[in-house]
Amino acid sequence: MNWYGCYTLFTREVRRFLNVNMQTIVAPALTAVMYLIVFSYAMGDRQVPGMEVDYFNFLIPGLVMMAMLQNAFANTSSSIMVGKLMNVQIILMMAPLSALELIVAFLSAAVVRAVIVGVVLLLVLVPFTHIPIGNIGFILFYGICGSIIMGAMGLIGGMWSKTFDDMALLNNFIIMPLTFLSGVFYSVKQLPEMWQSVNHWNPFFYLIDGFRFGFLGVGDTDPYKAMSIVLIATLISIAACLKLWSLGWRLKE
Amino acid sequence: MSFAIEVNQLQKTYTNGKTALSGVSLAVPEGSFFSLLGPNGAGKSTLINILADTVKPTSGSVQFLGHDLFSERAWCKRRLGVVPQEVAFDPFFAPRDILKITSGLYGVKPDKVWIEELLERLELTQHAGKNSRQLSGGMRRRLLVAQALVHKPKIIILDEPTAGVDVELRKRLWDFMRELNRNGSTILLTTHYLEEAEELCNQVAIIDKGQVLTSQSMTSLLNSVGSSTLALGYHSPLHITAEQHITLEDFSPRVDGNALLLTLKKDTAGNSNFNDAYQAAISCFGASSTVSIEDEDLEDVFLRLTNNPAEVQA
Ligand SMILES: Nc1ncnc2c1ncn2[C@@H]1O[C@H](COP(=O)(O)OP(=O)(O)OP(=O)(O)O)[C@@H](O)[C@H]1O
Ligand SMILES: [Mg+2]
């Protein structure tokens, strides 16, 4: 095993986003603060129906998780995309790195970025409120699994995209709708029956709901059922990355 | 003899249906300086990209130092350094960092002394701290060469490493390659500068349209396939009669003004049939005032073979 190579790739990926931290860390924090301000003014100090929770407190975990998911996706997808355009992928393919070493490096870096963004956001948002931390285990489990899943999706999306247009298409038509319709801004219990069941097919819904449960101790689904769904999704997405990379899908002629 | 690279019956048809390699077999002896030559589109880069594991072959096998590439990837790749034809560069880092990272990817802790030497030898020291976006085309290519060497590979493969590199730096690059070769590395390169290949390399293969036309040592190629022209100068314009033509038939006689041109053949030991030709000429036209021999160089051989592949016997 070439773990040193894997570690090198991991540090490269981490340095890559730290070098442009205005764009990769500060900007997402700013966006989240703006969402929080706008939505909490709009909603006033209403409570979330069916839960004994302030809307404000309900919103924070969702915003944090949404930013984490989007950043995990952005980290791998932009790295692969730029790598393809600049031919750096060739260097990676020539190096003695197995698919496993490569995927471990890429996904760990995505998780690190997501966690940094998540922590920064919490530090920025918490002064506005008094949000409890109910169960740190849940928070970590959902935070990390969610980042892995999104990092993996970013990797696959990056491999699939031939141009930045393809990437924008993925972002606008798949990633954005799934994150926005996942119950960040509302409780699915507020939705009509039909939309509730649609939401249960959205994997992001479980991630955000479980993450929020870790803070507030209340949620829209059974967090243990959600846990097994998330765990399976994590494993499937890692396996898909391994398979596609070793096939050289859309990378190797 | 042991081989650094052995390629067997390699075929490659791209997804668009284009067949770039149709059954290529090659053996690169360990320690050799090997040039892979061929016109544009011959399939050189396709072959090299398969060796580098960036293109999948349709069929066939590849071995490095006796180890199969596709079943022992990591083992082979650690011993291999490839400069691809297409320029690749990491826009996020400076050259020195790129070299450290590349070394790490090969599982080798960056050797600072070696990295500085590489930068120095490839004239990149001054630019080592700049963002690589600011490098010129020739600098980017030299950086790629440095990247291919940073983990001290036993086998070095260079796909047109000197394209876009200026004359002086090209000479220095070749000196560097010669030195690495003397220190035991096997080098396989492609280039369109045939004089350079002739001067540097001791082995040569010529491929065209995805097929190997010839593969042998440089001297044996120049001797066996390369012919020489004997030019005999006379005082007045010549005319060859039918009878004389028959006498000189073996030497494909031609006339160029006052000169008689005869084609000499060499046997594999490099001895030519100069005497026979000279005697035949004298018997037809008498002693000449000047005699000269022009050997075909690699470029002539190359052009003749790629224009008329049927001529290859070796
Ligand atoms: N990715 C590709 N998809 C389809 N066809 C390709 C691809 N790459 C190369 N080819 C075709 O395969 C053939 C061999 O190309 P290759 O790049 O191997 O030639 P080459 O000998 O390296 O030429 P050059 O001297 O111009 O670099 C050409 O006909 C080329 O058009
Ligand atoms: Mg080429």
Side-chain angles (χ1 to χ4, degrees), chain B residues 264-296:
Chain B
L264 302 182
K265 291 248 160 56
K266 285 184 213 163
D267 60 22
T268 39
N271 302 314
S272 78
N273 50 357
F274 166 79
N275 273 332
D276 301 343
Y278 189 65
Q279 294 305 335
I282 289 178
S283 74
C284 294
F285 300 103
S288 63
S289 56
T290 62
V291 179
S292 61
I293 293 182
E294 182 99 5
D295 279 329
E296 254 190 343

Side-chain angles (χ1 to χ4, degrees), chain A residues 71-116:
Chain A
N71 276 277
F73 183 87
N75 207 54
T76 45
S77 62
S78 68
S79 178
I80 300 280
M81 203 50 222
V82 174
K84 255 180 165 176
L85 293 181
M86 298 291 182
N87 260 329
V88 194
Q89 248 43 22
I90 289 185
I91 308 277
L92 289 184
M93 286 194 269
M94 294 194 305
L97 285 168
S98 65
L100 178 66
E101 289 147 359
L102 225 129
I103 301 303
V104 166
F106 271 114
L107 296 186
S108 323
V111 170
V112 168
R113 169 152 160 199
V115 169
I116 292 178

Side-chain angles (χ1 to χ4, degrees), chain A residues 253, chain B residues 14 16 18 20 38-47 85 159-160 192:
Chain A
E253 270 282 356
Chain B
Y14 283 105
N16 66 0
K18 167 84 199 167
N40 287 143
K44 303 180 296 295
S45 298
T46 302
L47 175 58
Q85 179 172 14
D159 196 352
E160 296 190 36
H192 291 291

Side-chain angles (χ1 to χ4, degrees), chain A residues 100-148:
Chain A
L100 178 66
E101 289 147 359
L102 225 129
I103 301 303
V104 166
F106 271 114
L107 296 186
S108 323
V111 170
V112 168
R113 169 152 160 199
V115 169
I116 292 178
V117 167
V119 170
V120 167
L121 250 64
L122 280 174
L123 292 179
V124 173
L125 298 181
V126 161
F128 291 91
T129 174
H130 40 81
I131 188 163
I133 292 188
N135 184 336
I136 187 86
F138 273 104
I139 296 174
L140 286 177
F141 173 83
Y142 282 102
I144 289 173
C145 284
S147 312
I148 293 177

